[in-house]
Amino acid sequence: MAHKIYLDYAATTPVDKKVLKAILPYFSEKFGNAMSIHQFGQEALKAVDKAREQVAEFLKCSPTEIIFTSGATESNNLAIKGALRSYYSRPENKNKKPHIITTKFEHHCVLDTCKILEKEASAEVTYLPVYKEGVVKIEDVKKAIKPNTILISVMHVNNEIGTVQPIIAIGKLLRELRIRAKELRYPLFHTDATQGVNYFDCDMTKLNVDLLSFSAHKIYGPKGVGVLFVRKNTPIKRIQDGGDQEYKLRAGTHNVPGIVGLGEAISQLTTNNKQQTTKIINLRDYLIQRVIKEIPRSYLNGSLEKRSPNNANFRFDNVEGEGLVLSLDMEGIAASTGSACSSGALEPSHVLLAIGLKPEQAHGSLRLTLGKHTTKKEIDFTANKLKEIIKRLRSISGKVLEEFK
Ligand SMILES: Cc1ncc(COP(=O)(O)O)c(C=O)c1O
């Protein structure tokens, strides 16, 4: 098959044509540094300001609450470590170890940050369970909160199994708690919305989050640029020292082309979303239906109902996910096993273990994520090939087992 099929939109997305067009001049004729006071700089600053307004319009917040970063990894690090830095900057907190709540299946950039803080003894951390469905329970959040809890970080949509977390409910709970305790600052609420912004309403007047992160490359924007939304008066300090960019919260020369692309990508989302989302949901449901019905001993990982429109994550008995991805790739179909960010290592995915799968079940899992360019023809081709490949892989593994008897 000459035509390549891309079903790994959760790993990254192609840059939208309009976005690319908007970016290009900022590499060449409009190359100024946004902090320079001459006209080149002013032109770049104007573009950064426009992008900030585009993001603010999407998030329904003030442009002053938008911090441009190099991506969700940096935004998540800044949110968590920055909150901790601010906490410790107050003399009365010097010897009071703070508590952070997160979940067992966050992206590694959140989990590893929390683990480092635990190791350094700067914070204690509770990792909430996510159960078979892959969804956090609000009662567990409530029970985990302690007097020294300063931050709760729960992802919006899981990147591997696509399950959607109760962000509105957690935000409401925390808001009520803070009002009752007459504590205006803590616990702060952070969400990693990297996989959520594409499909869900991220209206900051409705989501009671203090901090929200995402990357442009998951929404048809360029790689290496992202956002941390920081609600006004949120106690947070910068973690990277240097220049005064981004309201002194993120030092370093602006990635002007990237920021322009992010702004353009997000304004495209607002205009196109509904129609695209319905198309993607229909294709995803069709794919799930075909796979479960036509491939024996195949299962969907995580909740079907509380799921991102573009995610299908399957497991197949007696099949290795890596072999499956390689066989699909040979047919021109791009898929993933576990998370793209951790592939390369043959460790079972921490997400799949967190929903109670055994390591061998986690190894037999496959993630297919759809996007705005996915067609029914591609889904049909993929489902047909998947059937053939699984049959072949199972018969090979059956023969190998026979030989070892
Ligand atoms: C949920 C989630 N958070 C964070 C990240 C990290 O994003 P980036 O690599 O753009 O920094 C990813 C990327 O896959 C993700 O899916």
Side-chain angles (χ1 to χ4, degrees), residues 113-292:
T113 298
C114 288
K115 285 186 183 145
I116 288 277
L117 297 175
E118 268 185 304
K119 208 168 153 200
E120 287 173 346
S122 352
E124 49 170 319
V125 184
T126 300
Y127 300 90
L128 297 176
V130 290
Y131 306 95
K132 185 167 174 269
E133 296 280 279
V135 181
V136 162
K137 288 188 180 160
I138 189 89
E139 305 88 75
D140 288 341
V141 178
K142 217 184 272 186
K143 270 192 242 154
I145 297 172
K146 304 201 275 189
N148 61 335
T149 306
I150 64 155
L151 177 70
I152 299 179
S153 181
V154 174
M155 71 197 319
H156 194 176
V157 171
N158 182 271
N159 46 303
E160 289 191 41
I161 55 173
T163 50
V164 185
Q165 306 308 305
I167 300 303
I168 295 180
I170 299 172
K172 199 163 162 255
L173 167 80
L174 291 184
R175 202 183 138 163
E176 283 163 10
L177 261 178
R178 270 153 55 165
I179 292 172
R180 223 179 305 139
K182 296 198 172 66
E183 164 59 76
L184 296 177
R185 285 188 299 262
Y186 299 121
L188 298 174
F189 185 25
H190 166 245
T191 190
D192 173 1
T194 306
Q195 300 286 345
V197 277
N198 233 334
Y199 298 106
F200 296 97
D201 188 7
C202 287
D203 178 340
M204 293 301 106
T205 64
K206 292 184 192 149
L207 293 189
N208 278 310
V209 297
D210 302 292
L211 300 152
L212 177 141
S213 323
F214 67 91
S215 270
H217 72 102
K218 312 282 186 181
I219 56 168
Y220 308 94
K223 291 167 185 60
V225 61
V227 160
L228 179 65
F229 159 79
V230 181
R231 198 178 290 283
K232 193 171 172 219
N233 295 330
T234 298
I236 177 170
K237 285 210 178 290
R238 71 190 198 170
I239 57 170
Q240 183 168 300
D241 298 310
D244 285 346
Q245 292 90 347
E246 297 304 289
Y247 310 107
K248 299 189 180 171
L249 256 185
R250 199 274 179 178
T253 300
H254 293 98
N255 169 3
V256 180
I259 290 169
V260 167
L262 189 153
E264 200 55 41
I266 210 146
S267 61
Q268 297 274 331
L269 277 189
T270 331
T271 46
N272 296 338
N273 226 356
K274 269 207 178 93
Q275 220 182 340
Q276 252 173 41
T277 304
T278 311
K279 185 197 106 177
I280 293 169
I281 292 177
N282 290 340
L283 285 176
R284 180 208 62 183
D285 288 349
Y286 174 68
L287 172 68
I288 293 176
Q289 223 178 2
R290 276 205 61 185
V291 169
I292 301 293

Side-chain angles (χ1 to χ4, degrees), residues 224-391:
V225 61
V227 160
L228 179 65
F229 159 79
V230 181
R231 198 178 290 283
K232 193 171 172 219
N233 295 330
T234 298
I236 177 170
K237 285 210 178 290
R238 71 190 198 170
I239 57 170
Q240 183 168 300
D241 298 310
D244 285 346
Q245 292 90 347
E246 297 304 289
Y247 310 107
K248 299 189 180 171
L249 256 185
R250 199 274 179 178
T253 300
H254 293 98
N255 169 3
V256 180
I259 290 169
V260 167
L262 189 153
E264 200 55 41
I266 210 146
S267 61
Q268 297 274 331
L269 277 189
T270 331
T271 46
N272 296 338
N273 226 356
K274 269 207 178 93
Q275 220 182 340
Q276 252 173 41
T277 304
T278 311
K279 185 197 106 177
I280 293 169
I281 292 177
N282 290 340
L283 285 176
R284 180 208 62 183
D285 288 349
Y286 174 68
L287 172 68
I288 293 176
Q289 223 178 2
R290 276 205 61 185
V291 169
I292 301 293
K293 210 165 134 195
E294 297 175 31
I295 302 179
R297 289 171 293 134
S298 62
Y299 317 89
L300 185 73
N301 289 326
S303 166
L304 172 63
E305 295 76 29
K306 292 178 182 158
R307 195 175 200 95
S308 171
N310 71 331
N311 179 295
N313 190 312
F314 301 104
R315 82 179 179 275
F316 305 98
D317 286 348
N318 297 352
V319 178
E320 277 289 323
E322 299 287 324
L324 205 47
V325 168
L326 291 175
S327 303
L328 284 168
D329 192 39
M330 276 156 65
E331 298 291 348
I333 304 164
S336 118
T337 170
S339 119
C341 310
S342 67
S343 75
L346 280 177
E347 293 285 308
S349 133
H350 71 285
V351 172
L352 299 176
L353 297 182
I355 60 167
L357 298 195
K358 296 188 186 114
E360 62 272 24
Q361 290 176 314
H363 279 308
S365 292
L366 175 79
R367 180 183 76 176
L368 297 172
T369 46
L370 288 62
K372 66 178 179 182
H373 304 298
T374 309
T375 63
K376 178 156 184 295
K377 208 168 150 198
E378 291 180 333
I379 294 296
D380 272 322
F381 184 83
T382 303
N384 294 341
K385 283 292 167 197
L386 204 51
K387 247 165 79 175
E388 269 174 46
I389 292 167
I390 288 176
K391 207 168 163 192

Side-chain angles (χ1 to χ4, degrees), residues 35-71:
M35 296 293 274
S36 302
I37 54 173
H38 48 63
Q39 285 180 34
F40 288 89
Q42 291 313 298
E43 189 173 44
L45 181 62
K46 216 168 132 194
V48 169
D49 285 345
K50 181 182 168 200
R52 206 183 298 283
E53 270 165 27
Q54 285 168 315
V55 178
E57 199 176 311
F58 179 82
L59 295 179
K60 300 201 174 49
C61 67
S62 158
T64 57
E65 294 173 310
I66 304 298
I67 305 298
F68 289 118
T69 65
S70 65

Side-chain angles (χ1 to χ4, degrees), residues 6-45:
Y6 187 75
L7 290 175
D8 203 14
Y9 282 85
T12 196
T13 59
V15 173
D16 181 272
K17 282 197 179 76
K18 273 196 197 154
V19 172
L20 183 63
K21 195 169 169 224
I23 292 174
L24 287 177
Y26 292 91
F27 284 112
S28 46
E29 69 265 32
K30 300 181 181 181
F31 64 88
N33 181 331
M35 296 293 274
S36 302
I37 54 173
H38 48 63
Q39 285 180 34
F40 288 89
Q42 291 313 298
E43 189 173 44
L45 181 62

